[in-house]
Amino acid sequence: MSDVVLERVWKRYDGNVVAVSELDLRVNAGEFVVLVGPSGCGKTTTLRMVAGLESISEGTLTIAGKRMNDVPPRDRDIAMVFQSYALYPHMTVFENMAFGLRLRKVPEAEITTRVRAASASLGLDPYLDRKPKALSGGQRQRVAMGRAIVRNARVFLFDEPLSNLDAKLRHEVRLEIARLHKKAGATMLYVTHDQVEAMTLADRIAIMEGGRLQQYGPPMELYERPVNRFVAGFLGSPSMNFLSLTPSAAEVLGPIGLRLGVPESGVASVGIRPHGFWVDSERGRPMQVDLVEPLGAETFIHGLVGGQPIVASVPPATRPAVGDRVPLAALPSALHAFDSAGNAVPHGATSVTAAHP
Ligand SMILES: Nc1ncnc2c1ncn2[C@@H]1O[C@H](COP(=O)(O)OP(=O)(O)O)[C@@H](O)[C@H]1O
Ligand SMILES: [Mg+2]
């Protein structure tokens, strides 16, 4: 059974701002769904409508099968963790976690049990008597999560909980959240603009742009079969390369060893990920390198193909240098084809074939 269901949900703010358009989203019980997209696409608004902090202009929200549109936030059985996790500075870690339960008049023995359990799972036992100012950023974020966990809520909502942390901590707390989900088995709806968080945490990713859901599915499905150029370009780093095709007759993208043909197939552009290339001195066609980014485990090389910029990932052992001509090849199966509206042209419907150099 789906736990959190949004059906044709709209959010209009005063002044005709449409923040969310006709959103259909089903989150299954125990599922970890990540809502991802660029700033301003409607992620926070969606989360706040689920939490009850923002009214729903049109459409239906149900949680565990019950209509929630008009149910006050405290009766929705939801716990929320925000990006700015204001802790009470004068309270200890224990008191910060216990506070919400005290307000709800939970018996003291029960409060102690729940706080102890949350603190153990988050590695906070050594800090229970400390005040927030004596904690690192990551520890504070864990306290904020602990505050949500002790609620034993049915649904957890996260709004960019890692964006205030530095890169290393972000990774640690990310792992913490993944473990937490495995252990608690709660339903989680997690908002981020970071595609790495989305790819690594989600059972399913819902990717939004301009208030509209673009695609919803398991991370690798979105990565391998993006429905449009927006999804294709958003997931993956560096971003997918896009080469626009002139509507003239068959065109040969000689420099990457590919031939793209038959304009009536409706293909307006093709995409190929930086990792879709390999160095092939026999079949590849040379790309003149104008920028090299060595990352250690892999190296990105930049250059022009038919006047259009390309980034390719190559093994560091090839030691590419600016000015080199690197022979790049790619398989037709690594290609994504898009029509003039930016929608993916179904696999097999194109006449993209490998060139015979
Ligand atoms: N209270 C508000 N009044 C009017 N417009 C708002 C309000 N809150 C958000 N918006 C607008 O709604 C859109 C979506 O915002 P938001 O959900 O915060 O995006 P995200 O979290 O994806 O960055 C944006 O265009 C934003 O400016
Ligand atoms: Mg936001």
Side-chain angles (χ1 to χ4, degrees):
M1 190 185 72
S2 297
D3 215 16
V4 178
V5 180
L6 293 102
E7 278 173 304
R8 298 188 159 262
V9 164
W10 290 78
K11 179 64 189 183
R12 297 183 194 90
Y13 287 111
D14 298 341
N16 285 332
V17 179
V18 179
V20 174
S21 306
E22 214 179 343
L23 177 61
D24 280 314
L25 191 69
R26 291 177 173 271
V27 184
N28 294 326
E31 196 176 20
F32 198 137
V33 167
V34 175
L35 204 53
V36 71
S39 179
C41 74
K43 306 180 298 290
T44 294
T45 300
T46 301
L47 211 62
R48 288 173 60 83
M49 285 193 288
V50 174
L53 302 173
E54 206 68 72
S55 65
I56 293 170
S57 307
E58 199 181 308
T60 312
L61 166 73
T62 58
I63 297 177
K66 287 193 212 78
R67 183 185 152 94
M68 286 288 151
N69 289 49
D70 307 310
V71 173
R74 65 173 179 281
D75 297 328
R76 295 192 183 194
D77 202 5
I78 272 174
M80 193 153 175
V81 182
F82 297 95
Q83 172 185 349
S84 51
Y85 39 87
L87 302 175
Y88 300 107
H90 58 286
M91 289 184 197
T92 63
V93 167
F94 185 100
E95 292 305 319
N96 264 285
M97 289 201 268
F99 185 72
L101 300 178
R102 295 236 158 86
L103 282 186
R104 279 156 207 270
K105 311 257 187 282
V106 175
E108 205 55 32
E110 171 74 18
I111 291 178
T112 305
T113 309
R114 288 205 211 168
V115 171
R116 291 268 168 204
S119 131
S121 77
L122 290 168
L124 287 171
D125 284 347
Y127 313 109
L128 283 175
D129 296 326
R130 288 202 197 169
K131 302 252 173 77
K133 67 174 189 299
L135 299 175
S136 71
Q139 290 161 346
R140 281 181 215 163
Q141 181 59 282
R142 276 187 269 159
V143 176
M145 282 199 285
R147 220 165 36 175
I149 292 167
V150 296
R151 299 263 320 276
N152 288 346
R154 162 179 205 101
V155 178
F156 284 82
L157 305 177
F158 296 89
D159 192 358
E160 314 233 7
L162 309 186
S163 22
N164 287 344
L165 306 178
D166 65 45
K168 186 168 177 293
L169 258 173
R170 223 164 26 228
H171 188 213
E172 281 172 21
V173 181
R174 197 174 87 210
L175 293 173
E176 208 67 67
I177 293 174
R179 285 196 195 98
L180 183 73
H181 178 248
K182 291 222 163 35
K183 211 156 151 183
T187 306
M188 294 187 170
L189 187 54
Y190 182 108
V191 159
T192 180
H193 63 271
D194 182 323
Q195 52 104 10
V196 174
E197 281 174 38
M199 290 294 291
T200 54
L201 284 170
D203 293 322
R204 284 194 288 174
I205 294 176
I207 178 164
M208 290 179 78
E209 200 211 6
R212 290 195 176 270
L213 182 63
Q214 304 292 311
Q215 194 171 359
Y216 186 32
M220 286 311 286
E221 184 181 308
L222 269 60
Y223 184 83
E224 288 169 350
R225 292 187 295 284
V227 295
N228 58 32
R229 273 183 61 150
F230 173 77
V231 176
F234 193 85
L235 297 178
S237 177
S239 286
M240 185 182 282
N241 299 290
F242 294 107
L243 298 162
S244 46
L245 303 183
T246 57
S248 60
E251 182 167 337
V252 177
L253 292 174
I256 55 170
L258 294 166
R259 185 192 300 278
L260 297 148
V262 194
E264 59 268 33
S265 66
V267 178
S269 65
V270 293
I272 184 159
R273 295 197 185 278
H275 300 87
F277 297 100
W278 75 88
V279 179
D280 188 327
S281 53
E282 274 172 32
R283 288 185 298 166
R285 302 288 184 85
M287 176 181 87
Q288 178 122 359
V289 177
D290 59 29
L291 187 70
V292 176
E293 295 180 289
L295 294 186
E298 62 180 337
T299 297
F300 299 131
I301 55 173
H302 300 247
L304 292 181
V305 169
Q308 304 185 60
I310 284 278
V311 188
S313 166
V314 297
T318 61
R319 298 257 173 249
V322 170
D324 285 356
R325 286 162 71 78
V326 175
L328 291 180
L331 276 180
S333 61
L335 277 189
H336 298 262
F338 302 96
D339 64 18
S340 57
N343 293 313
V345 176
H347 205 66
T350 67
S351 59
V352 175
T353 54
H356 303 289

